[in-house]
Structures are given as C-alpha cells and as structure tokens.
C-alpha cells in the first residue's frame, strides 16, 4: 500500500477510535442505565452518556475532549519495512489533530509548550510486533489522562491492605485501586490488571487488557473466576457513575499475567474510564477492514 | 431543575444544596492546571471582572478556528482535584461563585465554599460532545500561549447541566460516597 493511501486509512482509523464508541462498551453503558434507580443522578448521567455517544457518532465529534495518549500495537508481516509506516502514523495523527478528532496532547516537560500536533518525545506510543501472517493489523486506543492518573502499581506483600503474594492479594489491590479512584477517572471504569512481570512489562500487560472486549472470557479459568468476582465486588462499593453513588462502579475487570521474578510480585492496574475508545484496522493486500 | 443565570449572587448560591440539578446560563471561564497556578501567582487583572460572581470550568477543550472565529467542539470536564492546592485561594481572590469539574475537590475548597459562598458543580465526564452543544459562543481567549487545552476560554453557555456535589453548607457528596465505600471495602478485604 502506498504511503498516502495508508495515511488516509490510518486517519479513518483514528477518526473511528476517537468518535465511535465500541459496541461492547455502549451495551454496558445501556445496561448501567437500566440497572440504576429511577430519579437518581446515576441514572440521569447514564442517559447523558448514551446521548453523547449518539451525537459523537452522528457528527464525528470526539467522544471526549481528552483524546488521550495514543497507544498502538502494530502487527506486521515479518521482514516488512516499518519506518515508512511510522511516518504515515505520525502524519495521520497530525492531520487528525487538525481535524479536531484529537486534542493537542503532547506537552514538553521542560518548556511546558504544547507541540500542537500530538507528536513529541514518546508520543505516539508505538509497539511493533512481527508475525508470520501476510496481513497488517493496527490496534490503537485513546487512553485519557484523568483515568491514567488513577492507575497504580502495588508491590506485594502490602501490609496496609493485608495483601499477600497470591491471587487473594491481587483481589485486595484491585478493590483498593477502584476505591481510591472514586469518580475521578470517570467511573464506571474498567480496571485492567497485569500481574507479574517487572515494573514496566507489568504495566504494559495491564494496558494490553484494554484491547479486550468487555464480554470476552479469560481463557484461564482461575483468572476468569477472579475477574467475575472482582466485577461483582467492585460494584458493591457503591461509588457509581461519576462517583455519584450507585450500582455501577465498574463495567468489567480484565486480568493478564506475566511470569515474575522470584523477588517481585507486582500488581499493575491501568484504570480505563467508561469512554473506552479503541480501534482496529486490518490491511490485507488492498482490502481494508475496520472494527472497534 | 434549577436555572441559574451568571453572574449570580451569594444568596442564590447559598440556596443550593448537594443533589440539586442545575442549568447554568451566562458567561463562564475555563481554567485548568497552568491557568490556576497563573491566577494565584501572577494575579492578572483582566480576569477579575469576568470571574467575579461567575463560574470557573475545569476544562481543556477541543476547539476549532474557522474564518477567524473560535468555537467549542468538544468540552467536558477535567479532574478537579489537581486544582485543590489553588482553588480556595482563587475563590477568595476573585469572588468566584462556583467551580465546574469532575471528581470533586478536597477539604480546603469545601471550606472556602462555606466561607465565601460558592459551590462545586459536577458535570458528566466524557459527555464532552453534548456539553459543547451548550457552549454557544467563544467570547474571548486569554493566554493562548499555554496551549489550547490550558488557555482561559471565555464562553457563553446556555443551560449547561450540572449537579451540585459540594455546597456552601459544608456538605460534600464525594465525602459521603467515599465514606460509605470505605466501609464496604474494609468489609470485603477483611480476613
Ligand atoms: S477519564 Fe476518560 S472520559 Fe474522563 S475526561 Fe478523561 S478521557 Fe474523558
């Protein structure tokens, strides 16, 4: 695919990710609306969410003004050239910023200056993965800053929580993280958890859970059970949408694991807000398919 | 639903209580992190008349600039707690009657709301496309060099929807929810 066409397709991927809520998230928001009691702020804020989702989709307006940091996973046929692709992604991002599908979100630490086009040191975040297939796959997410601030990394054992180095300890960490977030990360959120690894791979594992569909089932039966229990118990906290109080505090809980070092037991939690924006594009020859 | 026109006065604000749903109409000013630090350290004069008896909005919008005119494309709230170190001072210095944001604020701001007669208006995080529809006109922008998310946007809004979650009587819905959820948390992680 020539770079210009690729850039046009990438721009469309960004537009979809930023403006079109994934169907599984919308279903969960609708369920939250039904679950909350009549006449409560919780119910009315769910209604506002549904209205705003609808408006964004219809008019191609960004779902949230914080279009987040752009985290990409790119799977490419082993041996392909990736530098021109990096360039095409950067160009598409700058163009999407111009079109107001992205807010300028890259700020220089030292000067405080906003680069104006979302490009800068460490922005965007691109992870390239070679694979044996012939097609390309681009996955991206818009990871907002408010919910990013609710992310946290625990090191077990944790005496404050009475959390030991086992899955029961993990359970306590996730509940504590959701409690600490209250409404600040735009609840109802999706705590995405990475157990194990080191400090950076653990958090990356947590972030990668954001790509999972809400209704998927963890292939590991023990983790599937833990996700379900955490989903139910987080919702007992009563924090509710926006922290207004209510029955819907999380939309789901997703857990991934990595082997750990004998000395380390990290529980890394990436808190994703209800505006869980992600997009996917597959290029096979000249055929392009989008999904989110 | 209570309708409030801006600028407002102390009496109107003192009549509000947590849980009240409010629609705001009038001129508001956006301000977030850099802007708050600037208001407190540089004490700019040009902002004072705009802020007196009006409302600050914690928001870093997406804006468009067409034909020499700015407009709000997408403008939901940002997390307010980051402004906790500054907000009490801002309420006192500028006579602000309310702050719009999300996630609530801490004890210093709550105390300032009580002392000076102000409230915290919570609005729906992530509903940025809808909220921008209530922002009818950008009247001015100050400190654009801070970048579009951090600049002061002076905006005329009509029926901007919010919920009072901290009032001028020392009540905070956020404190109540936190307290309740803490009790549940402790029960769940016991053992
Ligand atoms: S936490 Fe999410 S929904 Fe809330 S303001 Fe940030 S990006 Fe938007």
């Amino acid at each position: 695919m020539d770079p210009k066409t690729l850039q046009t397709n990438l721009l469309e991927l960004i537009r979809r990710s930023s403006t079109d809520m994934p169907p599984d998230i919308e279903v969960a928001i609708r369920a939250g609306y039904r679950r909350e009691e009549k006449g409560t702020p919780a119910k009315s804020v769910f209604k506002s969410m549904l209205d705003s989702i609808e408006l964004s989709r219809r008019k191609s307006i960004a779902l949230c003004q914080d279009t987040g940091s752009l985290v990409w996973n790119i799977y490419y046929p082993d041996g392909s050239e990736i530098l021109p692709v990096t360039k095409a992604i950067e160009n598409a991002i700058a163009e999407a910023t111009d079109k107001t599908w992205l807010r300028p979100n890259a700020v220089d630490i030292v000067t405080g200056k906003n680069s104006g086009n979302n490009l800068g040191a460490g922005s965007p975040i691109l992870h390239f993965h070679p694979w044996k297939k012939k097609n390309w796959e681009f996955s991206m997410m818009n990871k907002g800053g408010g919910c990013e601030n609710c992310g946290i990394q625990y090191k077990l054992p944790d005496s404050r929580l009475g959390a030991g180095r086992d899955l029961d300890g993990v359970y306590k960490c996730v509940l504590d993280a959701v409690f600490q977030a209250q409404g600040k990360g735009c609840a109802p959120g999706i705590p995405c958890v990475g157990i194990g690894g080191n400090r950076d791979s653990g958090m990356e594992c947590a972030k990668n859970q954001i790509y999972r569909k809400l209704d998927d089932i963890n292939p590991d039966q023990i983790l599937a059970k833990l996700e379900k229990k955490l989903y139910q118990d987080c919702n007992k906290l009563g924090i509710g949408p926006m922290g207004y109080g209510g029955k819907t505090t999380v939309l789901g809980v997703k857990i991934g694991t990595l082997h750990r070092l004998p000395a380390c037991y990290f529980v890394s939690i990436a808190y994703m807000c209800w505006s869980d924006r992600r997009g996917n594009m597959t290029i096979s020859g000249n055929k392009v398919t989008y999904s989110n | 639903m209570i309708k409030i026109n801006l600028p407002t006065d102390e009496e109107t604000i003192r009549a509000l209580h947590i849980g009240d749903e409010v629609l705001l109409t009038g001129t508001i000013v956006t301000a977030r992190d850099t802007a708050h630090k600037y208001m407190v350290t540089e004490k700019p004069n040009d902002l004072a008349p705009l802020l007196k008896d009006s409302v600050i909005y914690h928001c870093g919008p997406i804006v468009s600039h067409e034909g020499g005119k700015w407009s709000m494309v997408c403008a939901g709230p940002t997390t307010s707690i980051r402004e906790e170190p500054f907000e009490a001072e801002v309420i006192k210095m500028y006579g602000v009657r309310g702050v719009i944001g999300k996630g609530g604020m801490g004890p210093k701001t709550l105390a300032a709301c009580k002392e000076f007669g102000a409230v915290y208006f919570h609005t729906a995080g992530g509903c940025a496309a809808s909220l921008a529809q209530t922002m009818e006109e950008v009247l001015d922008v100050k400190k654009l060099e801070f970048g579009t998310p951090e600049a002061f946007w002076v905006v005329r809004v009509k029926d901007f929807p919010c919920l009072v979650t901290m009032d001028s009587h020392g009540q905070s819905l956020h404190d109540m929810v936190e307290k309740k959820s803490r009790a549940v948390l402790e029960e769940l992680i016991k053992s």
Side-chain angles (χ1 to χ4, degrees), chain A:
Chain A
M1 185 167 285
D2 70 280
K4 195 66 213 151
T5 314
L6 177 61
Q7 187 181 321
T8 308
N9 293 327
L10 286 163
L11 181 67
E12 173 61 5
L13 169 61
I14 298 168
R15 185 193 69 78
R16 285 173 182 251
S17 181
S18 301
T19 68
D20 192 358
M21 190 63 86
D24 55 320
I25 305 296
E26 194 174 347
V27 164
I29 296 293
R30 211 170 286 284
Y33 173 71
R34 279 197 303 270
R35 194 180 301 126
E36 298 296 341
E37 263 155 59
K38 227 177 134 191
T40 56
K43 197 171 188 84
S44 82
V45 82
F46 270 125
K47 176 74 172 56
S48 307
M49 292 174 187
L50 291 167
D51 291 347
S52 209
I53 290 171
E54 160 65 24
L55 177 68
S56 285
R57 183 174 291 139
R58 192 159 38 85
K59 293 198 169 174
S60 272
I61 301 173
L63 282 153
C64 184
Q65 81 289 339
D66 185 358
T67 49
S69 56
L70 308 172
V71 189
W72 296 69
N73 276 310
I74 301 124
Y75 301 87
Y76 64 95
D78 195 15
S80 314
E81 253 198 295
I82 58 177
L83 279 182
V85 174
T86 304
K87 192 73 207 147
I89 293 174
E90 289 177 354
N91 289 344
I93 287 172
E95 201 180 341
T97 313
D98 253 9
K99 290 190 178 298
T100 72
W101 293 328
L102 296 176
R103 184 179 72 180
N105 260 1
V107 180
D108 185 291
I109 284 290
V110 177
T111 63
K113 202 171 155 19
N114 192 315
S115 73
N117 62 2
N118 274 299
L119 304 179
S123 179
I125 300 164
L126 305 179
H127 303 289
F128 282 93
H129 313 277
W131 65 7
K132 287 220 150 50
K133 298 189 197 173
K134 293 270 172 287
N135 58 321
W136 286 72
E137 195 175 310
F138 297 81
S139 291
M140 64 162 289
M141 69 170 92
N142 302 72
K143 179 67 177 74
C147 57
E148 187 69 358
N149 282 339
C150 296
I152 183 168
Q153 192 166 55
Y154 297 86
K155 168 168 65 80
L156 298 184
D158 183 302
S159 56
R160 180 178 67 87
L161 296 173
R165 293 158 68 95
D166 52 28
L167 292 182
D168 184 53
V170 173
Y171 166 85
K172 291 176 177 171
C173 294
V174 177
L175 276 172
D176 182 63
V178 172
F179 164 75
Q180 286 194 45
Q182 293 288 312
K184 296 179 185 73
C186 288
I190 303 143
C192 290
V193 187
I195 317 172
N198 64 4
R199 289 215 183 253
D200 54 324
S201 65
M203 194 49 97
E204 193 182 330
C205 171
K207 282 267 166 72
N208 280 333
Q209 308 308 309
I210 298 175
Y211 292 110
R212 288 173 53 190
K213 297 266 182 280
L214 270 185
D215 53 4
D216 75 352
I217 293 175
N218 199 310
D220 183 309
Q221 276 184 25
I222 294 172
L223 296 178
K225 239 175 102 184
L226 182 58
E227 287 179 357
K228 195 166 168 208
K229 183 170 164 55
L230 273 165
Y231 169 69
Q232 287 164 349
D233 288 357
C234 285
N235 282 330
K236 289 180 188 158
L237 290 172
I239 294 166
M242 295 299 131
Y244 289 168
K247 297 176 183 166
T248 321
T249 298
V250 301
L251 298 177
V253 178
K254 299 289 165 192
I255 304 174
T257 58
L258 294 173
H259 281 62
R260 64 178 175 85
L261 291 158
C264 301
Y265 199 119
F266 293 116
V267 181
S268 310
I269 301 174
Y271 187 99
M272 187 68 201
C273 55
W274 74 267
S275 194
D276 182 354
R277 293 149 289 171
R278 43 180 148 79
N280 196 282
M281 174 174 83
T282 306
I283 300 183
S284 190
N286 277 329
K287 192 168 174 291
V288 184
T289 29
Y290 301 96
S291 66
N292 58 1

Side-chain angles (χ1 to χ4, degrees), chain B residues 76-99:
Chain B
T78 189
T79 315
S80 299
I81 196 69
R82 294 193 311 271
E83 317 318 336
E84 181 66 8
F86 307 109
E87 207 68 76
E89 191 64 18
V90 167
I91 291 171
K92 182 178 166 190
M93 272 170 61
Y94 295 93
V96 173
R97 291 282 169 218
V99 176

